[in-house]
CSV table of all heavy atoms in Angstrom, one decimal:
chain,number,residue,atom,x,y,z
G,490,THR,N,127.4,144.8,8.1
G,490,THR,CA,127.4,143.4,8.1
G,490,THR,C,127.8,142.9,6.7
G,490,THR,O,128.7,141.9,6.6
G,490,THR,CB,126.0,143.0,8.3
G,490,THR,OG1,125.6,143.3,9.6
G,490,THR,CG2,125.8,141.4,8.1
G,491,THR,N,127.4,143.5,5.6
G,491,THR,CA,127.8,143.2,4.3
G,491,THR,C,129.3,143.3,4.1
G,491,THR,O,130.0,142.4,3.6
G,491,THR,CB,127.1,144.0,3.2
G,491,THR,OG1,125.7,143.7,3.3
G,491,THR,CG2,127.6,143.7,1.8
G,492,LEU,N,130.0,144.5,4.6
G,492,LEU,CA,131.3,144.8,4.6
G,492,LEU,C,132.1,143.7,5.3
G,492,LEU,O,133.1,143.2,4.8
G,492,LEU,CB,131.7,146.2,5.0
G,492,LEU,CG,133.0,146.4,5.1
G,492,LEU,CD1,133.7,146.6,3.8
G,492,LEU,CD2,133.2,148.0,5.6
G,493,MET,N,131.7,143.5,6.6
G,493,MET,CA,132.4,142.5,7.3
G,493,MET,C,132.4,141.0,6.8
G,493,MET,O,133.4,140.3,6.6
G,493,MET,CB,131.8,142.5,8.8
G,493,MET,CG,132.4,143.6,9.6
G,493,MET,SD,134.1,143.8,9.8
G,493,MET,CE,134.4,142.3,10.7
G,494,ARG,N,131.2,140.6,6.1
G,494,ARG,CA,131.2,139.4,5.4
G,494,ARG,C,132.1,139.2,4.3
G,494,ARG,O,132.8,138.2,4.0
G,494,ARG,CB,129.8,139.0,5.1
G,494,ARG,CG,128.9,138.8,6.2
G,494,ARG,CD,127.5,138.3,5.9
G,494,ARG,NE,126.7,137.9,7.0
G,494,ARG,CZ,125.4,138.0,7.1
G,494,ARG,NH1,124.7,138.6,6.0
G,494,ARG,NH2,124.9,137.6,8.3
G,495,TYR,N,132.3,140.4,3.6
G,495,TYR,CA,133.1,140.4,2.4
G,495,TYR,C,134.6,140.2,2.9
G,495,TYR,O,135.4,139.4,2.4
G,495,TYR,CB,133.1,141.7,1.7
G,495,TYR,CG,134.0,141.8,0.6
G,495,TYR,CD1,133.8,141.2,-0.7
G,495,TYR,CD2,135.1,142.5,0.6
G,495,TYR,CE1,134.8,141.3,-1.7
G,495,TYR,CE2,136.1,142.6,-0.3
G,495,TYR,CZ,135.8,142.0,-1.4
G,495,TYR,OH,136.9,142.1,-2.5
G,496,LEU,N,134.9,141.1,4.0
G,496,LEU,CA,136.2,141.0,4.5
G,496,LEU,C,136.6,139.6,5.0
G,496,LEU,O,137.7,139.1,4.8
G,496,LEU,CB,136.5,142.1,5.5
G,496,LEU,CG,136.4,143.5,5.1
G,496,LEU,CD1,136.4,144.4,6.3
G,496,LEU,CD2,137.6,143.9,4.2
G,497,LEU,N,135.7,139.0,5.8
G,497,LEU,CA,135.9,137.6,6.2
G,497,LEU,C,136.1,136.7,5.1
G,497,LEU,O,137.0,135.7,5.2
G,497,LEU,CB,134.8,137.2,7.1
G,497,LEU,CG,134.8,138.0,8.6
G,497,LEU,CD1,133.4,137.6,9.3
G,497,LEU,CD2,136.0,137.8,9.4
G,498,ASN,N,135.3,136.6,4.1
G,498,ASN,CA,135.4,135.8,3.0
G,498,ASN,C,136.8,136.0,2.3
G,498,ASN,O,137.4,135.0,2.0
G,498,ASN,CB,134.3,136.1,2.1
G,498,ASN,CG,134.3,135.0,0.9
G,498,ASN,OD1,134.2,133.8,1.2
G,498,ASN,ND2,134.0,135.5,-0.2
G,499,TYR,N,137.2,137.2,2.2
G,499,TYR,CA,138.5,137.5,1.5
G,499,TYR,C,139.7,137.0,2.4
G,499,TYR,O,140.6,136.4,2.0
G,499,TYR,CB,138.7,139.0,1.3
G,499,TYR,CG,139.8,139.4,0.6
G,499,TYR,CD1,139.8,139.3,-0.8
G,499,TYR,CD2,141.0,139.8,1.2
G,499,TYR,CE1,140.9,139.7,-1.6
G,499,TYR,CE2,142.2,140.1,0.3
G,499,TYR,CZ,142.2,140.0,-0.9
G,499,TYR,OH,143.2,140.4,-1.7
G,500,ALA,N,139.4,137.1,3.7
G,500,ALA,CA,140.5,136.6,4.8
G,500,ALA,C,140.7,135.1,4.6
G,500,ALA,O,141.7,134.6,5.0
G,500,ALA,CB,140.1,137.0,6.2
G,501,ARG,N,139.6,134.4,4.2
G,501,ARG,CA,139.7,132.9,4.1
G,501,ARG,C,140.9,132.4,3.3
G,501,ARG,O,141.4,131.5,3.5
G,501,ARG,CB,138.5,132.3,3.6
G,501,ARG,CG,137.4,132.2,4.6
G,501,ARG,CD,136.2,131.5,4.0
G,501,ARG,NE,135.0,131.4,5.1
G,501,ARG,CZ,134.2,132.5,5.2
G,501,ARG,NH1,134.1,133.4,4.4
G,501,ARG,NH2,133.4,132.2,6.2
G,502,ARG,N,141.3,133.3,2.4
G,502,ARG,CA,142.3,133.1,1.3
G,502,ARG,C,143.7,132.9,2.1
G,502,ARG,O,144.6,132.1,1.6
G,502,ARG,CB,142.6,134.0,0.3
G,502,ARG,CG,141.3,134.2,-0.5
G,502,ARG,CD,141.4,135.3,-1.5
G,502,ARG,NE,140.2,135.6,-2.1
G,502,ARG,CZ,140.1,136.4,-3.1
G,502,ARG,NH1,141.2,137.3,-3.4
G,502,ARG,NH2,139.0,136.7,-3.7
G,503,SER,N,143.9,133.5,3.3
G,503,SER,CA,145.2,133.6,3.8
G,503,SER,C,145.2,133.3,5.4
G,503,SER,O,146.3,133.1,5.9
G,503,SER,CB,145.8,135.0,3.7
G,503,SER,OG,145.8,135.4,2.4
G,504,PHE,N,144.1,133.3,6.1
G,504,PHE,CA,144.1,133.1,7.5
G,504,PHE,C,143.1,131.9,8.0
G,504,PHE,O,142.2,131.7,7.2
G,504,PHE,CB,143.7,134.4,8.1
G,504,PHE,CG,144.5,135.6,7.8
G,504,PHE,CD1,144.1,136.5,6.8
G,504,PHE,CD2,145.8,135.7,8.3
G,504,PHE,CE1,144.9,137.6,6.5
G,504,PHE,CE2,146.7,136.8,7.9
G,504,PHE,CZ,146.1,137.7,7.0
G,505,ARG,N,143.5,131.4,9.1
G,505,ARG,CA,142.7,130.3,9.7
G,505,ARG,C,141.6,131.0,10.6
G,505,ARG,O,140.6,130.4,10.9
G,505,ARG,CB,143.5,129.2,10.4
G,505,ARG,CG,144.2,129.8,11.5
G,505,ARG,CD,144.9,128.6,12.2
G,505,ARG,NE,145.8,129.1,13.3
G,505,ARG,CZ,145.4,129.7,14.4
G,505,ARG,NH1,144.3,129.8,14.7
G,505,ARG,NH2,146.4,130.2,15.3
G,506,SER,N,142.0,132.1,11.0
G,506,SER,CA,141.0,132.9,12.0
G,506,SER,C,141.3,134.3,11.9
G,506,SER,O,142.3,134.6,11.4
G,506,SER,CB,141.2,132.4,13.5
G,506,SER,OG,142.4,132.8,14.0
G,507,VAL,N,140.4,135.1,12.3
G,507,VAL,CA,140.6,136.6,12.3
G,507,VAL,C,140.2,137.2,13.6
G,507,VAL,O,139.1,136.7,14.2
G,507,VAL,CB,139.6,137.2,11.1
G,507,VAL,CG1,139.6,138.7,11.2
G,507,VAL,CG2,140.0,136.8,9.8
G,508,ARG,N,141.0,138.1,14.1
G,508,ARG,CA,140.6,138.9,15.3
G,508,ARG,C,140.1,140.2,15.0
G,508,ARG,O,140.5,140.8,14.0
G,508,ARG,CB,141.8,138.9,16.3
G,508,ARG,CG,142.1,137.6,16.9
G,508,ARG,CD,143.2,137.6,17.9
G,508,ARG,NE,143.5,136.4,18.3
G,508,ARG,CZ,144.7,135.9,19.0
G,508,ARG,NH1,145.6,136.8,19.1
G,508,ARG,NH2,144.8,134.7,19.4
G,509,PHE,N,139.3,140.8,15.9
G,509,PHE,CA,138.8,142.2,15.8
G,509,PHE,C,138.7,142.7,17.1
G,509,PHE,O,138.3,142.1,18.1
G,509,PHE,CB,137.4,142.0,15.1
G,509,PHE,CG,136.9,143.4,14.7
G,509,PHE,CD1,137.3,143.9,13.4
G,509,PHE,CD2,136.2,144.1,15.6
G,509,PHE,CE1,136.8,145.2,13.0
G,509,PHE,CE2,135.7,145.4,15.2
G,509,PHE,CZ,136.0,145.9,13.9
G,510,PHE,N,138.9,144.0,17.3
G,510,PHE,CA,138.8,144.8,18.5
G,510,PHE,C,137.6,145.7,18.4
G,510,PHE,O,137.6,146.5,17.4
G,510,PHE,CB,140.1,145.6,18.8
G,510,PHE,CG,140.0,146.4,19.9
G,510,PHE,CD1,140.1,146.0,21.2
G,510,PHE,CD2,139.8,147.8,19.8
G,510,PHE,CE1,139.9,146.7,22.3
G,510,PHE,CE2,139.6,148.7,20.9
G,510,PHE,CZ,139.8,148.1,22.2
G,511,THR,N,136.8,145.9,19.3
G,511,THR,CA,135.9,147.0,19.5
G,511,THR,C,135.9,147.3,21.1
G,511,THR,O,136.0,146.5,21.9
G,511,THR,CB,134.4,146.5,19.0
G,511,THR,OG1,133.6,147.6,19.2
G,511,THR,CG2,133.9,145.3,19.8
G,512,ASP,N,135.7,148.6,21.3
G,512,ASP,CA,135.6,149.1,22.6
G,512,ASP,C,134.2,149.4,23.1
G,512,ASP,O,134.1,150.0,24.2
G,512,ASP,CB,136.6,150.2,22.9
G,512,ASP,CG,136.4,151.3,22.0
G,512,ASP,OD1,135.5,151.4,21.2
G,512,ASP,OD2,137.2,152.4,22.2
G,513,THR,N,133.2,149.0,22.3
G,513,THR,CA,131.9,149.3,22.8
G,513,THR,C,131.1,148.1,22.8
G,513,THR,O,131.3,147.1,22.2
G,513,THR,CB,131.2,150.3,21.7
G,513,THR,OG1,131.1,149.5,20.6
G,513,THR,CG2,132.0,151.6,21.5
G,514,LYS,N,130.1,148.1,23.7
G,514,LYS,CA,129.3,147.0,23.9
G,514,LYS,C,128.4,146.7,22.6
G,514,LYS,O,128.2,145.6,22.3
G,514,LYS,CB,128.3,147.2,25.2
G,514,LYS,CG,127.4,146.0,25.5
G,514,LYS,CD,127.3,145.8,26.9
G,514,LYS,CE,126.4,144.7,27.2
G,514,LYS,NZ,127.0,143.5,27.4
G,515,GLY,N,127.9,147.8,22.1
G,515,GLY,CA,127.1,147.6,20.8
G,515,GLY,C,127.9,147.0,19.7
G,515,GLY,O,127.5,146.2,19.0
G,516,GLY,N,129.2,147.4,19.7
G,516,GLY,CA,130.1,146.8,18.7
G,516,GLY,C,130.3,145.4,18.8
G,516,GLY,O,130.4,144.6,18.0
């Protein structure tokens, strides 16, 4: 969660949205 929040905050500099792929229900 901490890692993803950091990545999303960093992405705000360049992107309007972010997509992510997971192939598990838990993910």
Side-chain angles (χ1 to χ4, degrees):
T490 298
T491 300
L492 178 58
M493 285 300 295
R494 286 186 177 147
Y495 176 84
L496 293 171
L497 292 170
N498 190 46
Y499 190 83
R501 283 185 179 92
R502 300 175 187 182
S503 302
F504 303 106
R505 64 175 169 76
S506 65
V507 174
R508 289 184 179 161
F509 190 86
F510 174 81
T511 183
D512 59 357
T513 67
K514 183 150 180 86

